[in-house]
Amino acid sequence: PKMTESKNLNAKITELQKEVDNESVTASQLPKIKKEREEFKAQLAQALTQMPNEKEIPNLLSSISSSGRESGLDILSFKPGGEAPKGFYAEVPVDMKVQGGYENVFLFFEKIAKLQRIVNIGKLNLGDAKDVKGNIFLSADFKATTFRFLGEAETKKAEEEKAKKEKGKK
């Protein structure tokens, strides 16, 4: 019995030694991991500067609208939608319909791309092309989506509401 106990203890010693070796490797990489963590924090802080807070949303929506007019487009509709929380941020959609020259539509999208804030253009539908004195005019409807950073309290509230909705579905 002592031999069996000895073998079991030796096996356990070998297993524990492997764990110690693995932990030593992890510990030796700790400075590298901490450095990467700080770099990721800096990248997150940089990305968050591109996401407006609640107070900046009206100004951003105004910038989008004025970019359309500056590009020579007629804005037929501009309908901001409700925010959709997505974790630590919320999507702020705006349904738009514009009319103007192809180049004007392109210029508008270019201006949107150069904004300091993130604005995605999706669900683009181009149509109703008309030739007016040699210029092609068309209508474009699309969804411009920007994003807003949610504070900790807003994030918790959104998660609680999501949990309530999921619980109600069951």
Side-chain angles (χ1 to χ4, degrees):
K2 293 289 182 186
M3 287 295 278
T4 305
E5 184 180 346
S6 176
K7 284 181 184 179
N8 289 340
L9 289 173
N10 282 334
K12 190 168 185 171
I13 288 172
T14 304
E15 185 180 318
L16 290 173
Q17 188 60 47
K18 285 180 184 178
E19 278 185 44
V20 167
D21 292 344
N22 287 339
E23 296 298 327
S24 295
V25 169
T26 303
S28 69
Q29 294 177 348
L30 190 59
K32 178 184 172 189
I33 293 170
K34 283 184 177 180
K35 183 180 177 188
E36 286 177 358
R37 181 174 181 251
E38 292 305 315
E39 289 173 2
F40 286 136
K41 276 185 175 180
Q43 289 175 356
L44 176 61
Q46 174 64 28
L48 291 178
T49 63
Q50 294 181 331
M51 293 176 68
N53 60 34
E54 194 168 2
K55 294 175 186 172
E56 296 173 313
I57 289 294
N59 291 338
L60 179 60
L61 296 179
S62 177
S63 295
I64 293 171
S65 178
S66 64
S67 292
R69 286 189 299 277
E70 290 170 8
S71 300
L73 295 174
D74 292 328
I75 299 175
L76 303 177
S77 73
F78 185 88
K79 298 178 189 170
E83 285 187 353
K86 304 282 184 182
F88 68 93
Y89 68 94
E91 291 182 349
V92 183
V94 178
D95 288 319
M96 291 185 70
K97 186 167 188 168
V98 298
Q99 190 173 31
Y102 175 81
E103 294 84 8
N104 301 94
V105 173
F106 178 78
L107 181 62
F108 170 69
F109 290 153
E110 192 173 54
K111 285 184 180 209
I112 294 297
K114 290 180 181 177
L115 287 175
Q116 295 251 331
R117 302 296 185 188
I118 300 169
V119 179
N120 289 341
I121 302 295
K123 298 185 180 178
L124 175 62
N125 187 13
L126 298 173
D128 297 336
K130 299 174 189 168
D131 188 352
V132 178
K133 297 180 185 178
N135 293 323
I136 303 296
F137 283 86
L138 49 89
S139 67
D141 59 287
F142 53 89
K143 183 176 292 222
T145 305
T146 188
F147 306 89
R148 182 176 76 81
F149 175 70
L150 298 176
E152 285 184 42
E154 289 178 300
T155 302
K156 277 186 179 180
K157 184 178 177 184
E159 288 174 359
E160 289 171 0
E161 288 176 11
K162 184 179 177 183
K164 284 180 185 178
K165 286 181 184 178
E166 288 178 7
K167 196 174 187 181
K169 289 181 181 179
K170 291 182 181 179

